[in-house]
Amino acid sequence: MKNRILYFLKEERGTYVSGEEISNRLGISRAGVWKHINSLREEGYEIDSKSRLGYMLIGEPDLLLPSQVSYGLSTEVIGKVIHHSMEMVSTNREARALADEGKPEGTVVVTERQTDGKGRLGRTWLSPPGGIWLSVILRPGFQPLHAPKLTLVAAVAVAKTLREEAHLDTKIKWPNDVYIGSRKICGILTEMSAELDRINYVVLGIGVNANVDVAPFPPEIRDRATSIMMELGKPISRVALLRALLTQFERTYFLFLREGFEPIRQEIKADSYTLGRWVKVRHGKKDIEGEAVDIDKDGALLVRTIEGRMVTIVSGDVGEEQKTSTIYNA
Ligand code: BT5
């Protein structure tokens, strides 16, 4: 009901709406209207009230509140239910707990800051206020071995969203990052609960440095990180961006479910940061060095080594290497 009152005020923005009109339109008591208006004010909405005129929405909080994000969101599955709180340890952790309780596909968890945001392999993801830190619960019907492709599906969706909404020249760094130039603007962490031949759920965690200042980050991270605000020189509407991201993610996810990985693969190849570069990848216990030449039909990275051997990298960290001319000519 609270959201219906909010949406009513949004539609009538710029004019006062009487308590009586709201109560008639939505079928609740005047006291009920007043109670919900106060609760909206507590969330940070500025609602003016004038004794004979009624209520007018004059300011909205810059928070990723479900009431804000859901307004005008036209997805079918993704983000139909959004869990939000001002602070979480990690949205992936929260989403896994919700998925264990049986929450459906498309459930989104989002927060303003994480106190222990997770990267891959136990690494830390710095998550101050201003970013978009979210996780999506997915329950795909395919075999667990296909799950890693979802990281790439998400990367395509993020890259496209930042290109369309913020006009940034995004590139996908295999397997889980989105870059602007040589700096990371987004990282993705995919976690799964599965049996041998069946996925229980996948939690897809996406961290986008939206209105984040990376200056306070430790130098080794700061020098390789950027944010939308830093690229544009001004903050962006995080609510609009999250809405666009959920919409784009659903489109890309549905495309993947319908047509398989090939269209996703083509998008990654077209916007790849990694392909064509000289890379060093940890492969089992060894480091493989060579040129990243292709993404295969399963989303794996193909690296051609100095000896001309083709190595398929299924997962791992890709570091860039300076290709020295002596090695190259050897
Ligand atoms: C990732 O790991 O890039 C996955 C990050 C996923 C974060 C999201 S936020 C919502 C959801 N909930 C979570 O708890 N996590 C997910 P990885 O490829 O391992 O990269 C981690 C490395 O990125 C760190 O070791 C730092 O070097 C760097 N890093 C940390 N915070 C960063 C930031 N905010 N921006 C850019 N780089 C960062």
Side-chain angles (χ1 to χ4, degrees):
M1 183 51 76
K2 189 171 69 183
N3 283 357
R4 288 180 64 199
I5 294 177
L6 175 66
Y7 296 168
F8 194 28
L9 293 178
K10 280 187 183 227
E11 277 160 26
E12 302 294 328
R13 206 188 294 263
T15 54
Y16 284 90
V17 194
S18 71
E20 190 179 355
E21 191 179 346
I22 301 175
S23 97
N24 287 344
R25 277 273 289 269
L26 303 182
I28 54 164
S29 68
R30 296 277 293 273
V33 172
W34 185 79
K35 197 185 87 204
H36 289 303
I37 295 273
N38 276 346
S39 146
L40 287 167
R41 281 177 173 149
E42 270 161 30
E43 281 186 5
Y45 290 94
E46 286 177 67
I47 300 169
D48 192 31
S49 56
K50 286 223 165 29
S51 55
R52 279 197 310 281
L53 294 170
Y55 304 102
M56 181 165 74
L57 181 64
I58 52 174
E60 299 178 47
D62 178 34
L63 296 174
L64 302 171
L65 297 168
S67 53
Q68 291 282 75
V69 179
S70 303
Y71 185 73
L73 179 71
S74 56
T75 50
E76 281 172 42
V77 176
I78 305 296
K80 293 315 271 183
V81 178
I82 301 176
H83 294 254
H84 170 271
S85 68
M86 293 303 292
E87 181 179 294
M88 285 182 198
V89 173
S90 148
T91 56
N92 264 39
R93 194 170 103 161
E94 192 78 20
R96 283 203 322 263
L98 290 170
D100 283 330
E101 283 171 19
K103 292 290 184 288
E105 166 149 289
T107 303
V108 164
V109 178
V110 64
T111 190
E112 303 298 325
R113 66 184 285 262
Q114 299 183 114
T115 53
D116 192 14
K118 296 283 177 224
R120 293 177 304 151
L121 307 167
R123 287 186 287 241
T124 297
W125 181 258
L126 300 172
S127 317
I132 296 185
W133 322 126
L134 88 137
S135 301
V136 186
I137 297 174
L138 300 175
R139 296 186 183 276
F142 51 67
Q143 298 277 314
L145 73 108
H146 297 297
K149 293 175 190 155
L150 290 170
T151 307
L152 295 166
V153 169
V156 165
V158 172
K160 224 176 201 172
T161 305
L162 299 198
R163 209 173 310 130
E164 286 174 6
E165 299 296 310
H167 311 290
L168 295 175
D169 186 16
T170 43
K171 296 276 179 249
I172 296 167
K173 179 167 182 282
W174 189 94
N176 70 315
D177 296 338
V178 177
Y179 266 47
I180 309 280
S182 56
R183 289 167 182 265
K184 181 159 168 170
I185 198 161
C186 164
I188 298 163
L189 173 68
T190 306
E191 297 183 284
M192 174 168 69
S193 156
E195 282 150 43
L196 227 42
D197 57 353
R198 197 179 74 98
I199 293 176
N200 296 324
Y201 62 80
V202 169
V203 164
L204 202 60
I206 303 176
V208 181
N209 295 335
N211 299 333
V212 168
D213 179 8
V214 305
F217 288 4
E220 67 281 9
I221 300 179
R222 178 184 66 212
D223 296 346
R224 305 234 45 192
T226 188
S227 73
I228 300 179
M229 182 172 75
M230 293 167 74
E231 294 295 324
L232 298 182
K234 59 176 190 211
I236 190 165
S237 160
R238 291 183 312 140
V239 171
L241 188 73
L242 176 54
R243 218 183 274 137
L245 176 57
L246 296 178
T247 308
Q248 186 60 58
F249 176 70
E250 178 170 285
R251 212 174 285 151
T252 315
Y253 178 53
F254 283 2
L255 175 71
F256 172 54
L257 293 182
R258 215 173 44 238
E259 293 181 27
F261 188 61
E262 188 54 26
I264 310 297
R265 175 174 169 262
Q266 292 304 335
E267 300 233 25
I268 294 165
K269 287 185 68 168
D271 297 322
S272 177
Y273 175 87
T274 312
L275 295 183
R277 282 180 194 264
W278 196 255
V279 296
K280 194 173 184 177
V281 201
R282 192 119 197 110
H283 184 66
K285 289 210 168 67
K286 286 190 305 184
D287 280 337
I288 297 280
E289 204 176 309
E291 189 186 354
V293 287
D294 206 355
I295 306 282
D296 77 4
K297 63 174 182 23
D298 297 315
L301 184 69
L302 302 184
V303 174
R304 189 191 298 118
T305 64
I306 301 170
E307 309 84 49
R309 209 157 44 90
M310 221 35 131
V311 183
T312 305
I313 313 288
V314 180
S315 69
D317 270 323
V318 180
E320 278 161 65
E321 288 296 307
Q322 286 299 329
K323 178 167 56 175
T324 63
S325 54
T326 40
I327 293 176
Y328 185 56
N329 293 332

